[in-house]
Amino acid sequence: MNLTRWLPLLGSALLLLVLSGCNFMMDPKLLMKTPELSSDKETLRSVINAELKGAVIRPRDAADISSIRVVDLNKDGIMEAVVFYETPMEKVKVHGLILENRDNTWIPKVRFDGEGQVLESFELKEVTGNGEINIVAGFSSGEKQTQKGLIVYSYTGNSVERILELPYNYFIIDDLNDDGQLDITVVSLRKDQYTTITTYQYDQSFQELAKLQLDDAVSGYYNVVHGNITPDKRGIILDAISGEHSGYSIIIVMEDGQLVDLIPDQSATLKDYQIMSGDVNDDGILEIGMLETPRGWEYIAFDDIPWLFSYYRWDPSNGLTFVMQQYMDLEGRFYFNLPKEWWGKVTIDIKSIKDEHINFIDIDTNATLAEIRFFSLAEWEQFKEDWELLARDNDKVIGFLSHTDLRVNKGEKEIKR
């Protein structure tokens, strides 16, 4: 989910986040704004629009949706701009254009072909290890379930060469073998049969470093992230679809030159909601989310339970290790990170009703520690002096009230709007 800027609010022990929208698995691109261009880029855009008749396209990938990337590709001291554009009436429908900045003037230099009908992703990365920057692009036909095509381009100054072409469902650029040079890992899915994960690295040409086959019959992956699995080990987490709403998580790392599945038993990370893995507590290490029933709700109907989400990271000595817990609104309007001192000591009052009133209580004393309540607009006018605003949802206002001292260290607690 894409979130807006953090604004300081309550105490350091608590984190309340407000997410825009009404879908738990919302497409981040729906919440993104087109970045404002500097005057230099405005000039560049004018040159590109004149050259291409306004046919510039953006990648679907949410990590960077900018259409124009500026960098010194071949390290010759001259800046280049890379842009992709479409020609719907031609046989090859996606193309790239490289422009050079000479004497503060942008000059079209090289055009090159893409593939398919849609630009899925577009990155500029040094993946050959020679100091030059490569163009790494993913293409597709536009159909969600079809396999995509990955191409790595090398720019010589006068021409563009394809140095790698691979089919893929997902690809990751990282340094899994920790040798100081980026590698490319491709995830290829044979739906409901198996998944093949292959890592490649450049040495005169791209060579296969390692390959792993996962025999779990999954229909797809709803989330793929990469980064630190431990403080000193990079890896990939695949969040797999196992049902309409359920899923499980897979951690892949490279050990002694081989790709390894750290949790081969998928039941260990099975969850009834498709919780996305990521660095949820901003410690620089990826975590896996699991669904947890609040104490006292064990015999309540599944759909009525106000679930807690517990997050775990990988510990080489102890396996999955608990790191934090949150309450999440499944419609994506907000989530609430429980303070550390609450872990294992707090539950949700059995009289709570989702989308109406959530009471967080002390397990031993039943004392109310905090509340989240849904107000009508008229009700909110009566209560807004005492309650913190979390979110507005059509004709509802969602508020938060603390019954404990959560206002200490004001400024370290933050709320996202």
Side-chain angles (χ1 to χ4, degrees):
M1 300 178 182
N2 185 51
L3 303 172
T4 53
R5 289 190 178 274
W6 294 91
L7 299 173
L9 192 60
L10 300 175
S12 61
L14 177 64
L15 185 63
L16 288 167
L17 300 169
V18 174
L19 289 83
S20 182
C22 60
N23 188 333
F24 178 55
M25 297 300 295
M26 176 171 284
D27 183 345
K29 294 184 289 299
L30 297 179
L31 303 179
M32 286 190 171
K33 294 183 178 179
T34 303
E36 294 183 3
L37 293 176
S38 65
S39 58
D40 288 343
K41 275 203 171 182
E42 286 286 9
T43 301
L44 173 57
R45 180 180 287 280
S46 298
V47 173
I48 291 171
N49 286 342
E51 182 73 17
L52 302 178
K53 313 304 181 190
V56 171
I57 55 177
R58 300 177 184 274
R60 281 184 174 180
D61 187 278
D64 186 348
I65 62 168
S66 59
S67 59
I68 303 170
R69 316 284 174 88
V70 178
V71 71
D72 183 1
L73 286 173
N74 56 343
K75 301 297 183 179
D76 61 354
I78 299 172
M79 298 300 289
E80 284 88 21
V82 184
V83 64
F84 281 88
Y85 63 100
E86 62 182 352
T87 54
M89 304 308 293
E90 296 182 9
K91 184 176 180 180
V92 178
K93 300 185 184 302
V94 180
H95 306 268
L97 171 67
I98 297 176
L99 303 94
E100 286 187 353
N101 189 334
R102 292 187 177 271
D103 299 324
N104 295 319
T105 301
W106 288 100
I107 301 170
K109 184 72 174 180
V110 179
R111 296 174 187 252
F112 57 96
D113 289 343
E115 294 288 344
Q117 301 181 50
V118 174
L119 178 65
E120 291 286 344
S121 60
F122 168 24
E123 299 186 48
L124 300 178
K125 297 282 188 179
E126 182 190 336
V127 293
T128 54
N130 59 8
E132 297 179 356
I133 306 298
N134 302 101
I135 302 167
V136 184
F139 305 93
S140 78
S141 66
E143 299 295 327
K144 288 185 178 180
Q145 300 302 323
T146 58
Q147 204 166 52
K148 306 165 191 174
L150 172 68
I151 302 178
V152 179
Y153 299 93
S154 175
Y155 175 60
T156 66
N158 295 302
S159 63
V160 173
E161 176 187 357
R162 298 185 182 198
I163 57 175
L164 181 66
E165 296 183 59
L166 291 170
Y168 79 99
N169 291 97
Y170 308 90
F171 74 88
I172 299 96
I173 301 175
D174 208 312
D175 182 10
L176 296 187
N177 63 348
D178 195 30
D179 67 347
Q181 181 179 332
L182 291 177
D183 41 56
I184 298 177
T185 300
V186 171
V187 179
S188 295
L189 171 69
R190 182 67 66 92
K191 187 177 178 181
D192 298 323
Q193 295 185 49
Y194 58 86
T195 298
T196 303
I197 304 171
T198 312
T199 300
Y200 300 87
Q201 193 171 61
Y202 192 84
D203 182 11
Q204 306 304 317
S205 63
F206 276 97
Q207 308 291 326
E208 181 181 306
L209 283 185
K211 179 180 286 188
L212 174 67
Q213 181 170 305
L214 303 176
D215 292 324
D216 302 332
V218 301
S219 59
Y221 299 96
Y222 63 89
N223 181 46
V224 176
V225 291
H226 64 103
N228 277 88
I229 300 299
T230 70
D232 55 2
K233 173 71 74 174
R234 304 285 291 181
I236 303 166
I237 299 181
L238 306 173
D239 290 327
I241 299 169
S242 63
E244 184 178 357
H245 301 293
S246 59
Y248 63 93
S249 298
I250 302 163
I251 303 179
I252 304 295
V253 298
M254 188 174 289
E255 295 181 348
D256 299 322
Q258 301 295 319
L259 291 172
V260 177
D261 179 1
L262 292 179
I263 315 174
D265 178 11
Q266 62 180 250
S267 65
T269 60
L270 189 65
K271 59 211 85 180
D272 289 304
Y273 282 109
Q274 292 170 359
I275 308 168
M276 289 195 287
S277 300
D279 182 9
V280 294
N281 60 352
D282 296 322
D283 65 351
I285 299 174
L286 300 177
E287 289 91 22
I288 288 174
M290 301 292 291
L291 207 59
E292 183 174 323
T293 305
R295 187 177 300 187
W297 291 82
E298 291 82 1
Y299 303 104
I300 305 300
F302 181 89
D303 290 338
D304 295 331
I305 297 174
W307 297 100
L308 294 174
F309 291 69
S310 294
Y311 289 88
Y312 298 79
R313 76 180 193 183
W314 181 257
D315 184 304
S317 301
N318 302 306
L320 291 175
T321 303
F322 177 85
V323 294
M324 69 166 288
Q325 192 173 64
Q326 68 182 200
Y327 174 77
M328 181 178 290
D329 173 67
L330 294 181
E331 292 189 23
R333 294 164 292 194
F334 66 90
Y335 57 89
F336 166 30
N337 288 356
L338 275 62
K340 187 174 182 179
E341 58 267 28
W342 286 17
W343 298 346
K345 301 176 182 178
V346 170
T347 187
I348 294 174
D349 190 339
I350 194 67
K351 296 186 293 293
S352 297
I353 301 174
K354 290 192 297 184
D355 292 338
E356 290 187 19
H357 197 180
I358 304 294
N359 262 20
F360 297 89
I361 63 172
D362 185 291
I363 288 174
D364 295 326
T365 66
N366 286 327
T368 297
L369 303 178
E371 301 174 64
I372 293 173
R373 183 171 168 182
F374 291 68
F375 297 93
S376 68
L377 296 180
E379 288 173 333
W380 179 246
E381 291 303 313
Q382 301 176 39
F383 289 93
K384 65 181 182 181
E385 294 300 319
D386 297 318
W387 290 67
E388 297 288 346
L389 173 67
L390 292 185
R392 294 182 183 272
D393 180 30
N394 298 325
D395 60 344
K396 294 286 186 182
V397 176
I398 305 170
F400 172 80
L401 178 65
S402 170
H403 292 266
T404 61
D405 187 14
L406 291 177
R407 294 175 180 270
V408 295
N409 300 322
K410 185 174 180 180
E412 294 183 24
K413 178 174 184 298
E414 298 174 311
I415 188 168
K416 281 194 178 183
R417 298 192 186 280

